[in-house]
Amino acid sequence: MEQFDERLRDMARREAACTPEGFDGRLREALDGLPPRAKQRRGLGALRGALAAAAACLLLAGTALAASPGLREALAEALGGFAPYAQEQEDKAYVIDGIEFKVKSVLADDFTVRAYVEARDVDGDIFDKIDDLTIPTRVIGGVDVPTVSQWLAADATESWSVLAECLSYDAASRTALLAVSTWKLMPEDFTGAAVEVLAMNSYLTGDYEEVWKNQRGITIPVEVKPVESTVLDQNAALVSGLDAEEARLSPLGLTLTFQDYEVRRTALEGTRIRVALADGTAVEAVQEGRCGVFLPPYDQNSRRVMVWNFQEPVEAEQIQSVTVIDREGGQRTFPVALP
């Protein structure tokens, strides 16, 4: 936990950001690489149609309701069709330096973990100091999960991407709905996983100001049950066509693993993914995270992963093709045939 906190702070100090001058806290690092992993096949047992809708209603009608009707709607909208895949939390409140936090739901697969968190301004004078809590970079945090130690040599370095953002704010209850995410190689055992909201920032005065800080680095324990993934190896058109080593498809998104060659990764920077489904519909995904494990001399021994998260849940067996759309609008389409 301390290592995660230290690295989170270090990323905030070191990383340049495309935000107003003077702010150096952007936490979405250009992180890369993943060690080789045995190829495996794992099917998806996804819920569909009425069953999915019923599960979503049950989840949102349970004890883990947001503090206001507006935030209940925001949580329902944020989860959308992903509600059946989310792990509902115990709804325990943690007051940290004047803000009360409650983790509502957690989504995860092999490389993505995302927690939906309520943050209520108990003292009533913290959120008023922030120009707009929904502006990116106003909240700093991540989800700390155990390191996959069996993949790390003594001289290896693991990296990950993190992002905390405010999805909605209800002024009447002084409560915000946060999405706190981490992209990294996930462990099989999530014991010890926890959400950490580290700080909140503002430019209300025109200058950067840290208006709230988690002084003691208090974390919020969470239960994580990742959905299963389907693995495609180099025999798949999608993998070989993008010069990758492996692709993983889960209801949450697509991940591609590469050797540590810049030309392979940078060609996909800023791209979008569109998957065509058997029923004739299509679902898009945006590139959100990067992660990796680096082994000296940081070449063929290193692996890096790029992550695209779907806007709606997708069952791997329903995917007919994947289209990669670059920043200029160019497209490449690859058929998908599951092994």
Side-chain angles (χ1 to χ4, degrees):
M1 199 72 69
E2 292 180 0
Q3 181 189 43
F4 179 80
D5 183 74
E6 291 174 2
R7 292 192 180 186
L8 203 60
R9 292 178 185 276
D10 185 56
M11 283 191 283
R13 287 194 298 268
R14 292 187 290 106
E15 179 67 10
C18 298
T19 53
E21 184 177 356
F23 180 65
D24 62 354
R26 183 173 66 91
L27 291 177
R28 299 198 65 179
E29 290 231 310
L31 304 174
D32 317 317
L34 182 74
R37 190 171 181 180
K39 304 298 186 291
Q40 51 186 311
R41 291 176 55 186
R42 293 191 289 173
L44 295 174
L47 297 175
R48 308 188 206 177
L51 180 59
C57 292
L58 286 172
L59 175 64
L60 296 173
T63 58
L65 292 179
S68 73
L71 287 181
R72 284 199 297 269
E73 294 174 2
L75 178 59
E77 181 179 355
L79 284 172
F82 293 107
Y85 305 97
Q87 174 69 21
E88 188 176 355
Q89 304 298 299
E90 64 175 337
D91 203 35
K92 182 178 179 180
Y94 292 78
V95 178
I96 304 173
D97 296 303
I99 296 180
E100 179 189 80
F101 294 95
K102 290 183 180 180
V103 180
K104 316 304 285 185
S105 295
V106 177
L107 289 166
D109 65 8
D110 287 348
F111 292 99
T112 298
V113 58
R114 175 168 294 150
Y116 294 94
V117 184
E118 277 185 7
R120 184 170 69 89
D121 186 352
V122 177
D123 290 346
D125 61 353
I126 299 175
F127 291 166
D128 287 344
K129 299 176 184 178
I130 301 177
D131 46 352
D132 185 348
L133 196 59
T134 63
I135 295 176
T137 72
R138 292 305 185 260
V139 184
I140 297 175
V143 183
D144 186 11
V145 297
T147 298
V148 188
S149 57
Q150 63 265 36
W151 298 112
L152 294 182
D155 54 354
T157 300
E158 183 182 31
S159 65
W160 56 80
S161 300
V162 296
L163 177 67
E165 54 185 336
C166 176
L167 303 180
S168 182
Y169 177 63
D170 180 72
S173 63
R174 309 186 66 81
T175 305
L177 176 64
L178 311 179
V180 183
S181 306
T182 292
W183 296 271
K184 70 180 293 293
L185 177 60
M186 299 297 166
E188 292 185 4
D189 183 0
F190 281 87
T191 301
V195 167
E196 180 175 21
V197 181
L198 193 64
M200 295 184 184
N201 310 298
S202 178
Y203 279 88
L204 187 62
T205 63
D207 296 321
Y208 167 75
E209 180 183 5
E210 186 178 71
V211 300
W212 177 85
K213 184 177 181 179
N214 186 340
Q215 300 286 347
R216 292 173 291 167
I218 297 174
T219 60
I220 305 171
V222 292
E223 294 183 17
V224 184
K225 292 184 179 179
V227 298
E228 293 187 330
S229 298
T230 296
V231 181
L232 304 178
D233 61 22
Q234 289 182 320
N235 293 321
L238 175 64
V239 179
S240 60
L242 295 176
D243 203 15
E245 291 203 327
E246 177 185 278
R248 287 174 183 252
L249 291 161
S250 85
L252 309 188
L254 165 70
T255 61
L256 291 173
T257 303
F258 299 87
Q259 284 187 338
D260 191 20
Y261 292 123
E262 286 295 325
V263 65
R264 298 180 178 184
R265 181 180 63 87
T266 55
L268 291 173
E269 291 285 0
T271 58
R272 293 180 291 120
I273 297 292
R274 181 190 302 126
V275 295
L277 305 179
D279 63 3
T281 61
V283 175
E284 290 204 358
V286 294
Q287 183 191 333
E288 291 200 280
R290 287 173 287 186
C291 57
V293 171
F294 303 97
L295 298 166
Y298 307 104
D299 48 26
Q300 291 92 334
N301 294 318
S302 300
R303 294 296 184 273
R304 62 182 76 213
V305 158
M306 302 180 73
V307 183
W308 289 261
N309 290 118
F310 294 131
Q311 295 177 350
E312 294 292 338
V314 170
E315 297 180 30
E317 60 266 27
Q318 296 299 313
I319 297 176
Q320 301 293 296
S321 65
V322 173
T323 298
V324 179
I325 308 167
D326 63 30
R327 287 167 292 187
E328 287 72 39
Q331 300 185 13
R332 290 179 289 170
T333 298
F334 304 95
V336 173
L338 298 185

